[in-house]
Amino acid sequence: MRALVLLGLVGFAAQLVDGSLGMAYGVTSTTLLLAIGTNPAAASATVHLAEIGTTLASGISHWRFDNIDWKVVAKIGIPGAVGAFAGATFLSSLSTDVAAPVMSLILLTLGVYILIRFTAFGLPKGNLGKPLRKRFLGPLGLVAGFVDATGGGGWGPVGTPAILASGRLAPRKVIGSIDASEFLVAIAASIGFFVGIGSENIDFAWVAVLLLGGVIAAPIAAWLVRHIPPRILGSAVGGIIILTNVRTLLRSDWIDAPGNVQTAAYLTIAVIWAGAIAISVRAYRRARAEESVEAIEAELRPRAGEEETAGTP
């Protein structure tokens, strides 16, 4: 019962982050399942089955808040589903001893990317309004879907920053469109896992609890996406993912690091993580201050013009 409650809280927190940031539900949930010893393919299958419900709820919530560009959903979602099915069948063919560190390595890479991306660069806002072409979204969806299924997460970490980096779609539209298109990816990946490993290795109680937590969080996240500082959230989530998957790798047969090396690694990551969050907080406050100054200047300009006009004979 304690494990189910924990999973429900993880599902809630992961969807809250995913719906607000456009990434990290699968990465966060799979990381926890691996940490408690779940078979890699079964962990990814569990998360993707839960995501069928959470992404549907998230998509509806984002649609109600007008956070979705349906053209983007169609152009990236279908190739993403193809990539996810291929990734699921590939992961299912690997042995557990090989798959666990491979998945942790993928998750660690995604965590490092998220941490650096949001700490150092934040969210780009140039080129807004320019169209996103199919020749960009198609290959992106194919790669993101494959990574998502093999890594237990990755649709958001690969897709969201790539579209944000183009600067052609408002951040809230990027997040809403990625979350909505992930519904297709989750269905395709789940079918792939059923073909590859069957249903006997999947704990459907865990699926239900993860799903429940995510469904509860979905409408809250869709509202928060307009208010929460994504830069700070991205740095915080990236650090969690890095710390957890470094732990898995250091304890794997690949490395089997002694205890003192593990402790040193955890302390180093914690210091870097704290520094990254501090940088993001400082950057967010600076940006808010600059926006306040610009707003005041914009308000004063018409007044100055009126005073000049009034003083003209």
Side-chain angles (χ1 to χ4, degrees):
M1 180 58 68
R2 185 177 301 175
L4 291 177
V5 171
L6 178 61
L7 283 171
L9 292 174
V10 167
F12 179 87
Q15 182 57 43
L16 201 62
V17 171
D18 187 90
S20 305
L21 194 59
M23 65 180 72
Y25 179 89
V27 178
T28 304
S29 301
T30 304
T31 293
L32 174 71
L33 291 176
L34 284 179
I36 61 178
T38 307
N39 174 289
S44 187
T46 299
V47 170
H48 281 92
L49 281 170
E51 280 186 325
I52 293 176
T54 59
T55 54
L56 179 60
S58 183
I60 293 172
S61 299
H62 279 297
W63 167 67
R64 294 187 65 183
F65 284 97
D66 192 28
N67 293 338
I68 297 177
D69 185 321
W70 291 107
K71 292 181 180 179
V72 171
V73 171
K75 290 176 182 177
I76 197 173
I78 295 173
V82 174
F85 181 83
T89 53
F90 171 75
L91 181 62
S92 300
S93 67
L94 296 179
S95 69
T96 300
D97 291 339
V98 174
V102 166
M103 183 182 286
S104 290
L105 192 58
I106 293 173
L107 292 169
L108 175 60
T109 303
L110 293 172
V112 170
Y113 182 81
I114 292 170
L115 183 70
I116 293 174
R117 176 73 199 179
F118 284 90
T119 301
F121 304 106
L123 296 174
K125 297 180 181 178
N127 298 323
L128 283 176
K130 293 182 180 179
L132 285 161
R133 303 195 180 279
K134 190 174 182 178
R135 63 172 177 264
F136 166 70
L137 293 175
L140 175 63
L142 194 66
V143 172
F146 186 86
V147 172
D148 186 82
T150 54
W155 178 251
V158 175
T160 299
I163 299 178
L164 284 173
S166 72
R168 299 189 174 201
L169 197 63
R172 67 183 182 86
K173 291 278 190 178
V174 175
I175 293 168
S177 300
I178 284 291
D179 275 5
S181 58
E182 194 171 10
F183 175 68
L184 300 175
V185 173
I187 291 176
S190 298
I191 294 172
F193 283 119
F194 276 124
V195 171
I197 64 173
S199 61
E200 62 274 5
N201 292 318
I202 302 172
D203 191 325
F204 288 95
W206 288 15
V207 173
V209 172
L210 281 173
L211 172 59
L212 178 62
V215 168
I216 293 172
I220 302 172
W223 178 82
L224 282 176
V225 73
R226 295 173 176 264
H227 306 284
I228 200 167
R231 188 165 193 163
I232 298 172
L233 189 59
S235 297
V237 171
I240 294 173
I241 295 166
I242 291 170
L243 186 63
T244 308
N245 287 286
V246 164
R247 174 181 176 273
T248 301
L249 285 170
L250 290 178
R251 295 185 174 190
S252 69
D253 292 337
W254 283 13
I255 301 175
D256 193 21
N260 58 337
V261 173
Q262 293 185 36
T263 301
Y266 301 152
L267 289 174
T268 302
I269 292 170
V271 170
I272 295 173
W273 183 17
I277 292 176
I279 291 171
S280 293
V281 170
R282 193 179 304 116
Y284 170 70
R285 288 178 175 173
R286 184 169 60 248
R288 287 292 300 272
E290 290 173 356
E291 289 174 1
S292 298
V293 171
E294 290 175 359
I296 293 172
E297 290 177 348
E299 186 177 345
L300 290 176
R301 281 192 208 104
R303 294 182 182 179
E306 291 173 3
E307 291 175 359
E308 290 178 3
T309 303
T312 302

